[in-house]
Amino acid sequence: MERTFIAIKPDGVQRGLISEIITRFERKGFKLVGIKIMVPSNGFAQKHYHGLKERPFFNGLCNFLSSGPVVAMVWEGEGVIRYGRKLIGTDPQKSEPGTIRGDLAVVLGRNVIHGSDGPETAKDEISLWFKPEELV
Ligand code: ATP
Ligand code: MG
């Protein structure tokens, strides 16, 4: 069954949005198959965002991701990669109300949540953040 990697970023954890975000994925009908809370090191954040290495905001982004606790999760279900991105929204300023970023975020750099953007990144991100035995 299809799986995706979802992370509640340090701003989302700090603002008390963990249960709010999990509820939205659960209510939709997706299945939580892995979850942990951790403070990623800067090096770990750089691995996670390696595809964005050339972007001017890369260092700031990695510093931010490693600035506090992150809730790392794997969610499973038919179409979960694509539909998970729908639940998340896009740029907080462009996201519709009803999406996580539309409802809960204002600025691009503090957008509360990450979701894998395709099957390849989902596979890579799941194996970066989780050992196989940590998933049910
Ligand atoms: P995510 O991968 O986190 O789900 P995304 O796919 O919508 O978000 P990406 O283009 O992959 O966006 O960028 C990754 C993250 O980098 C974004 O979630 C955002 O936090 C940050 N980011 C993107 N563009 C900018 C920018 N111009 N300035 C600052 N931060 C940015
Ligand atoms: Mg992305």
Side-chain angles (χ1 to χ4, degrees):
M1 181 58 82
E2 186 174 316
R3 291 179 165 186
T4 194
F5 174 71
I6 299 290
I8 306 174
K9 297 181 183 180
D11 56 334
V13 174
Q14 198 275 330
R15 290 173 55 204
L17 298 175
I18 298 171
S19 60
E20 164 80 38
I21 289 168
I22 289 176
T23 297
R24 291 176 182 227
F25 278 82
E26 265 193 323
R27 275 200 320 217
K28 172 67 181 169
F30 293 132
K31 184 177 153 199
L32 184 60
V33 296
I35 185 167
K36 62 176 146 189
I37 188 160
M38 61 186 270
V39 181
S41 67
N42 198 276
F44 191 92
Q46 288 181 32
K47 277 189 198 160
H48 171 75
Y49 279 127
H50 70 274
L52 299 172
K53 224 170 5 210
E54 307 304 327
R55 309 296 286 273
F57 55 84
F58 179 72
N59 284 333
L61 181 59
C62 294
N63 289 339
F64 170 59
L65 193 72
S66 58
S67 69
V70 169
V71 174
M73 298 178 281
V74 178
W75 286 86
E76 183 180 277
E78 191 178 326
V80 69
I81 299 172
R82 215 179 141 85
Y83 206 90
R85 299 274 292 182
K86 245 180 167 159
L87 291 177
I88 290 170
T90 58
D91 177 340
Q93 290 289 328
K94 294 175 185 149
S95 300
E96 293 298 322
T99 64
I100 291 167
R101 288 177 180 163
D103 288 342
L104 305 172
V106 177
V107 296
L108 190 55
R110 294 290 181 271
N111 58 7
V112 170
I113 184 169
H114 165 84
S116 305
D117 60 12
E120 281 305 311
T121 43
K123 199 164 146 279
D124 291 350
E125 290 171 0
I126 290 168
S127 61
L128 175 65
W129 289 80
F130 287 91
K131 300 181 186 126
E133 62 268 26
E134 292 175 321
L135 304 175
V136 296

